[in-house]
Every structure is written in C-alpha cells, then in structure tokens.
Amino acid sequence: MTPVIDTQPETHRTPFPPIASYAFLSDCESNCLISPAGAVEWMCVPRPDSPSVFASILDRGAGSFRVGPHGTRVPSARRYLPGTLVLETTWQTPTGWLVVRDAMVMGPWHNQDERSATHRRTPTDDDAEHILLRTVTCISGTVDLQVECDPSPDYGRAETRWEYDDAGYNAIHAESDSGPTLRLTSSLRLGIDGRTASARTRMVNGDKAFIALSWSPLPAPTTWEAAADQLWRTQEFWREWITQGVFPDHPWRTYLQRSALTLKGLTYAPTGALLAAATTSLPETPGGERNWDYRYAWIRDSTFALWGLYTLGLDREANDFFAFIHDVCRDNKDLQIMYGVGGEEKLEEFELGHLSGYEGAQPVRIGNAAYDQQQHDVWGAVLDSVYLHTRSREQLPESLWPVLKRQVEAAIKHWHEPDRGIWEVRGEPQHFVSSKLMCWVALDRGARLARMHDEMDFAEQWSKLAAEIHSDICANGVDERGVFVQRYGSGALDASLLLVPLLRFLPADDPRVRATVLAIADELTTDGLVLRYRVEETDDGLSGEEGAFTICSFWLVSALVEIGELERGRALCERLLSYASTLNLYAEEIDPRSGRHLGNFPQAFTHLALINAVVHVIRAEETAGHDGVHFEPPNRGG
C-alpha cells in the first residue's frame, strides 16, 4: 500500500500548513493542534469550545507557540509514541539532532478534599493537569533551540501582558482581558518582548530542557525530573487505556488504535460529552463558505462514535455519555441534536470577520445555528447505541428507561414530518429517507429494550409502529430501479442510505439493498470516493462544491462487504487508509483528485467509520478463510 504524501498540490504558495499535517493532542478536557514546524496553532482553554488562545490555523497573526531549532522548519520525522497521544518530533540541523516530545499532561485525581466544580461524572484515577508540556533533548552535535510563545486570546481579539513571577527568569505569567491566566515555566531562561515570551539556547549532545504552559492553579513542573515524570505518567495513561481494547493481529491494527485514541481524545471527561471535531471553520471547500464550528457534542456523532469504541471493546466511555444524555434530558426536556460540552442548549452562531480564515476561507464561524434544527435521526441513534451497550449486560439501567421512552415517543410523534436530515441542510425541510430510517431504528430498538425492561405492552405497540414506518419507507423511499433515494418524491442518491444494511433495516441479500449500494458506488462517487449527495440535486442552502465525505466512503466499504463484494470493499478500504495523514489522522473530507484533507480536524465521524469498515473487512476475510488470527468483535445486531 503506497501512502499518499501528506502535502497538498499547490497552484500557489500558502503560509498555512496542510490540514492533514497537524498533530492532535488532548487531555480529555482541552486539546490542541501542532504544525510540522513545531508550533501550536490551535488551542482553546479551559474547554475545547472556549475562545482560542492560539489560532494561527485560522489567521497567521492569531497566536502560536513554537518549540524547535532556530532556522529549521521542516522536521526529519514525526510520530506518536506507540499507544499514546504523545507526539515526538525529530529535527536534523546542519550541526546536530534534536528530539521534542509534546503532551497534554495527565496526572492523578486532584480533588481529594472537595468536589470538582466541573466534573459531573464518576471520578477516576486520572485527571487532566491543565498543562501542555514540551520536552527537548539534544541527541547529537549542537543545536540552537528557539522557543516563542505568542498567545492571542479570544480568537485574536485580546492582548496578553507577560510578567515575571519572581526574581528569576524561569517562570512568567500572562494576564489578558479574556480567558484564564497563562503560565510558562521552564528550565530555560525566558524573556519578554511585548506579547511574546521567548527563549534561546545552544544545546549540546545530552542536554535536556522543558517548557510547560499551564492555565490552572495546579503546579507545573519546575525541574527536568518532574517534567520527565509527568511525561511518563501521561504515556502510561494512554497505554493503559488502549490496552483495555480488543484489536486484531492484522496489518491495519495501527489504524484502529490511532482512531480509538483520537475518539478518546475528543471526549470531554467532566461531563461525558464527545466532540465532533477539535476545530472550527476549517473549510470543506478550499476558499469557500462551508465552514462550521464542530467543537460541540452532536448526539448522532457521539452515539456513532460509541459504536466504534464498542466494536473494539472500549465501552466504558458509553457509561459517561449516557449519563450526559440523562443530564441534558432532565425535567422531561426534549433531546436536541447537539449541545455544548457542558450540556449548554444554546449555541448561537457568530462570524469573526477579523480573522482571514484558513487559506482565506470565510466566514470564520463560532457557535452553530444547527442546534435548534429538527433532525429526526437523533432518537434512533441514541436508542441503537443504548441497545448495543445494554445487550451484552442483559439489563437496562433504570435511570435511562424514562429518557429512552421519551425518545421513542418523540420518534412516534414526528417520524412522518419533514426535517433537515442527517447532513443538516439549511434549505427547506424534506422527507429524508435516512431520517425515517432512524425513526424506524428508534421504534425497533425501543421495542427490544422494552422487552429487556419487562415492558411488554410497549414492546408490542412499538414493534407494530416500527413495521408501519418500515412499510412506508419501502413504499415511498425506493425508485423504479429498486434503489433507496435521498427523499420522498426524488430520484437523488444520498450516501446516508448506505446505513440501510448496516442498521439491519433489510437483510444484505435483499435486491433493494444491493441495488442501492452499487448505485451509490457507481453514481455518487468522484474518482471512487463517495459524496454525501450531489449539491445540484439537493437544496442545502449553500453554494459551491464540497469534497468527498470520508465517512461515506468508509460506509461504502462496510456496505460492500455486507452485500458480498469483499474484494471491492477491501480495495476501497486500502485506498482510504492510504489517504491517512502521516500520523494516521483524518479530516472530514478528502479531495478525490489530490488526496488533500478538507474540513474540521480530526473528525470523530471519520474515525468511527474507519473502525467499522476495517473490522468489516477483517471479519469477512476470516470468514472467507483468509490468513489471519480470529477476531470476533461485538455484533451490530438488529
């Protein structure tokens, strides 16, 4: 398998690194993106949806934090330490070699004497230290090290004022009119030049240094030994977590593990929410207007992500997320399609006109107006995820039953109405087939859960309604070719209909399933990669083109395997894996012609679909008698 080079073909020079070239770090409370040049170019604290501290990914003047050799911007190698979200960058200069390791530090649980003001989930042994730690080791020759920390809080709208903590040069702090106090501690001597804190020193073979950026009262390291210990503990946290999973002994194992680690990094531990992505406004179309804020918890995306983690045996996160669902539905509230990571209901959308946007793509948006849209797929996503989670336990948590019952009732009330669909189109509501499919899922899984809960009357009633929705979809959602279409009364295709076999709406050998999968594969693709829909056939309220949504291509892999097209599915899966970044991360879309990643990054939806597709191929190969160790992940059921 020949990987696609992690750079974009350029018709013009751009100061912005390719989206796929960024590294992703997380402590499950905050996250950041680091460019190949060693600069933190996106970071929001104390929460992932807080205003940014560094945002040069959206405007080259909106703040960054670089650690690397003076005069050298291109590293020799970058990797994650295996099984972790610890980044290692190796630099070669004309005079020597340098290794930088970056991590968002994990430590022991902190609130021993009083309860946390932010954590609503069961305390664990580990907790975020609220420190971005950067360690440096010279491994050969001599290297001039340069550190430049230039925060620009509130999306570049606020100024910082650095001051020394004491009489020495090793600790400084920055106040601003917006956001938390930032602190830099280091084994290096730090200088202040306006809003920039900097350090420069010549390191020789064997020299070690650290720089720690913190944003809470928790103590940052003051010695190399303390920094090394924090780095080691962070590595151990990630490795212990990934070891809980069940992974096949297969060449694609590394993709599964990196996707699982990325999904874990997109969780918000205090509440159990799962982020759709770490960023806002990275464009779906180069220079275009399809720029959205994804730093929130979409119920659909989150429950799909749990499917991916559950497939690998990593189901503990489901408990926290279902508790988050319970929280946001208190007092008989209806379930929204999305929330802030703290459960906030209103996510008003604003445009930041002072930022240039990634490669000039405007507008830059914060907030997301889709929060109050009607999307009828959300109820089915929740019910299917809960069913998957509880089936192996053979019982339903008592506290969840009233919440789930309300979701089924909502599906019953609204399934026959138009909505905005799974893709959140901003055109007129339509009778989207995928939305009605997910309402069927809500009734079908609801009936199964009712039986688990010994609510036989509900089980019988909901089963009958599920059959009614099933018949309506089959009567109105299929064209004369026997292909499921995007919406009632239209012949347009939609990649979301690949979920028909994956959700067990119909058996994989049903002629309508096969016709739908092959029609999407042959007619809704560009250079073999799947589009969500044809923009000229769908009123989505926007203009311009969009790239191929990577989740849809991975869905096609799974669907091809389901209908018996294993070789075709495997070939597509291998091609999609070749598009992974050099760190095995994915954005939302891939340009089929160039392999360039587009959209917000890293994207939970893409990584969960990767897990599902890879497991489909591996399981089918084993069934077909190919070489490999037996691997039996949990069945989707249904």
Side-chain angles (χ1 to χ4, degrees), residues 273-315:
L274 282 87
L275 295 167
T279 57
T280 180
S281 298
L282 295 185
E284 296 173 11
T285 305
E289 66 173 343
R290 298 172 184 266
N291 317 317
W292 314 109
D293 193 345
Y294 276 15
R295 298 172 298 154
Y296 305 112
W298 269 258
I299 300 301
R300 175 193 59 242
D301 293 32
S302 300
T303 51
F304 280 16
L306 295 178
W307 296 353
L309 291 176
Y310 182 85
T311 297
L312 301 173
L314 295 163
D315 59 349

Side-chain angles (χ1 to χ4, degrees), residues 193-343:
D193 183 9
R195 74 178 198 182
T196 302
S198 60
R200 186 166 177 179
T201 190
R202 176 161 294 179
M203 301 184 71
V204 301
N205 187 13
D207 281 354
K208 301 177 186 295
F210 76 89
I211 308 95
L213 177 70
S214 59
W215 50 93
S216 82
L218 294 173
T222 57
T223 64
W224 167 262
E225 290 74 20
D229 181 69
Q230 287 191 335
L231 189 66
W232 174 84
R233 183 181 174 92
T234 303
Q235 295 174 45
E236 285 298 291
F237 165 80
W238 291 109
R239 287 176 176 148
E240 288 175 5
W241 181 82
I242 200 69
T243 301
Q244 299 168 20
V246 179
F247 296 91
D249 186 15
H250 189 277
W252 292 348
R253 175 190 182 109
T254 55
Y255 295 98
L256 291 173
Q257 289 195 330
R258 183 51 50 197
S259 290
L261 287 162
T262 302
L263 291 177
K264 174 64 173 175
L266 288 170
T267 63
Y268 183 66
T271 64
L274 282 87
L275 295 167
T279 57
T280 180
S281 298
L282 295 185
E284 296 173 11
T285 305
E289 66 173 343
R290 298 172 184 266
N291 317 317
W292 314 109
D293 193 345
Y294 276 15
R295 298 172 298 154
Y296 305 112
W298 269 258
I299 300 301
R300 175 193 59 242
D301 293 32
S302 300
T303 51
F304 280 16
L306 295 178
W307 296 353
L309 291 176
Y310 182 85
T311 297
L312 301 173
L314 295 163
D315 59 349
R316 296 185 183 184
E317 282 62 38
N319 292 326
D320 285 347
F321 181 71
F322 295 142
F324 176 76
I325 293 286
H326 184 269
D327 287 349
V328 298
C329 290
R330 286 186 188 278
D331 303 321
N332 295 322
K333 290 182 179 178
D334 291 336
L335 188 65
Q336 295 183 183
I337 68 165
M338 61 190 290
Y339 295 90
V341 296

Side-chain angles (χ1 to χ4, degrees), residues 143-178:
V143 178
D144 285 339
L145 174 69
Q146 187 173 37
V147 176
E148 290 185 322
C149 184
D150 179 23
S152 189
D154 193 21
Y155 307 107
R157 293 179 294 194
E159 292 291 329
T160 52
R161 300 174 294 276
W162 289 105
E163 294 181 5
Y164 287 101
D165 285 7
D166 49 37
Y169 285 95
N170 303 110
I172 60 177
H173 63 275
E175 305 283 354
S176 73
D177 296 330
S178 174

Side-chain angles (χ1 to χ4, degrees), residues 47 49-50 293 295-298 324 328 333-350 366-373:
R47 299 189 348 174
D49 56 355
S50 297
D293 193 345
R295 298 172 298 154
Y296 305 112
W298 269 258
F324 176 76
V328 298
K333 290 182 179 178
D334 291 336
L335 188 65
Q336 295 183 183
I337 68 165
M338 61 190 290
Y339 295 90
V341 296
E344 293 81 8
E345 298 174 4
K346 292 187 177 181
L347 306 173
E348 295 185 19
E349 187 174 300
F350 302 95
I366 57 173
N368 198 305
Y371 76 89
D372 62 354
Q373 282 190 0

